[in-house]
Amino acid sequence: MKRSTTLTTLALASALALAGCGTSGEETAGEAPETTTSAAAGTGSTGTATATPSTSAQAVTEEHNDADTMFAQMMIPHHEQAVQMSEVMLAKDDLDPDIEALANKIVAAQGPEIDQLKTMLETWGEPTSMESGGMEGMDHGSDSGAGMEGMMTEEQMQELEAAEGTEAAEMYLTMMTAHHRGAIDMAQEEVAEGQNPQAIEMAQKVIEDQEAEIQEMERLLQQIQG
């Protein structure tokens, strides 16, 4: 009887000890995930909060000078006209496939660059249009001394809209070549005098892309003129 009582007591003590360990383990296990979750949430929150500004900062930095501002403000209407000229061509019937491909390429390249230029100016706290009144306040002829070389006059744009067939293709290539050369001049000035790294990088891309397109347009023009 005494032996049975002793075994029962030992069994009860063991059970209580195990229960105590289990309770301690459950509490520890319960606390650890809570701490981990809290830490992970904090890290995630911090990561999310800092990722967006960091990405924006990398996209466009605030440092800039007058040359950067001028480049962006002038290149916006310059690009807009190139897109407009290309869309005029794309609306024509029986368009040569090579001309169509070129016009589509110009729209695809310069459309997004317009948005990037506007983002730059907004980041710098600068107006997105020329303070002198924008395009209406400037001479847009290819011989303009105001830094907008290559811009077509309204009369030239109307002539392009009215032209058809080979005449339209030849006019488009000739006008766009002059337009591109004007953009390259502006971009080269930005590379030489600008400060903002993103604006300079875009200017370098404009030079590279549009020099290549000028060569393509000269080749197409030679084919048309035979």
Side-chain angles (χ1 to χ4, degrees), residues 61-77 117-118 120-131 148 186 189-190 193-196 198-200:
T61 57
E62 292 185 4
E63 62 171 318
H64 69 289
N65 59 15
D66 290 342
D68 297 317
T69 301
M70 184 66 68
F71 168 72
Q73 288 178 340
M74 294 174 70
M75 194 60 77
I76 287 171
L117 290 162
K118 289 180 178 178
M120 287 180 187
L121 290 166
E122 289 168 357
T123 301
W124 303 336
E126 303 285 357
T128 56
S129 61
M130 300 293 291
E131 292 183 356
M148 293 289 282
M186 293 163 58
E189 185 173 349
E190 164 63 16
E193 301 181 8
Q195 178 184 18
N196 181 270
Q198 289 78 39
I200 293 172

Side-chain angles (χ1 to χ4, degrees), residues 41-63:
T43 303
S45 176
T46 304
T48 303
T50 56
T52 302
S54 175
T55 302
S56 300
Q58 289 177 2
V60 181
T61 57
E62 292 185 4
E63 62 171 318

Side-chain angles (χ1 to χ4, degrees), residues 6-218:
T6 303
L7 290 174
T8 302
T9 303
L10 288 172
L12 181 60
S14 298
L16 289 173
L18 288 172
C21 290
T23 303
S24 176
E26 287 173 4
E27 289 175 357
T28 304
E31 291 173 2
E34 182 179 350
T35 304
T36 304
T37 302
S38 176
T43 303
S45 176
T46 304
T48 303
T50 56
T52 302
S54 175
T55 302
S56 300
Q58 289 177 2
V60 181
T61 57
E62 292 185 4
E63 62 171 318
H64 69 289
N65 59 15
D66 290 342
D68 297 317
T69 301
M70 184 66 68
F71 168 72
Q73 288 178 340
M74 294 174 70
M75 194 60 77
I76 287 171
H78 209 274
H79 272 20
E80 285 174 342
Q81 190 180 70
V83 170
Q84 182 184 3
M85 292 165 64
S86 298
E87 289 176 341
V88 166
M89 286 302 296
L90 291 169
K92 295 185 182 297
D93 296 327
D94 301 323
L95 186 62
D96 182 280
D98 290 334
I99 303 294
E100 181 179 7
L102 174 66
N104 276 318
K105 182 164 65 172
I106 290 173
V107 172
Q110 298 196 25
E113 285 180 352
I114 291 170
D115 293 335
Q116 292 170 19
L117 290 162
K118 289 180 178 178
T119 297
M120 287 180 187
L121 290 166
E122 289 168 357
T123 301
W124 303 336
E126 303 285 357
T128 56
S129 61
M130 300 293 291
E131 292 183 356
S132 59
M135 294 176 66
E136 293 78 12
M138 300 184 67
D139 174 15
H140 301 310
S142 60
D143 59 347
S144 169
M148 293 289 282
E149 295 89 346
M151 291 289 285
M152 299 298 110
T153 63
E154 190 166 333
E155 181 180 1
Q156 287 174 310
M157 293 296 295
Q158 290 173 352
E159 290 174 354
L160 180 62
E161 289 180 4
E164 294 292 342
T166 302
E167 180 187 7
E170 186 173 353
M171 189 178 297
Y172 172 73
L173 292 172
T174 303
M175 291 167 62
M176 190 61 78
T177 296
H179 200 273
H180 273 24
R181 285 181 175 143
I184 290 171
D185 288 344
M186 293 163 58
Q188 287 173 335
E189 185 173 349
E190 164 63 16
V191 171
E193 301 181 8
Q195 178 184 18
N196 181 270
Q198 289 78 39
I200 293 172
E201 182 179 0
M202 177 179 286
Q204 290 170 332
K205 185 176 185 301
V206 167
I207 294 169
E208 180 180 345
D209 290 351
Q210 299 201 17
E211 281 181 344
E213 288 172 357
I214 286 175
Q215 292 180 1
E216 182 181 356
M217 289 188 288
E218 288 176 342

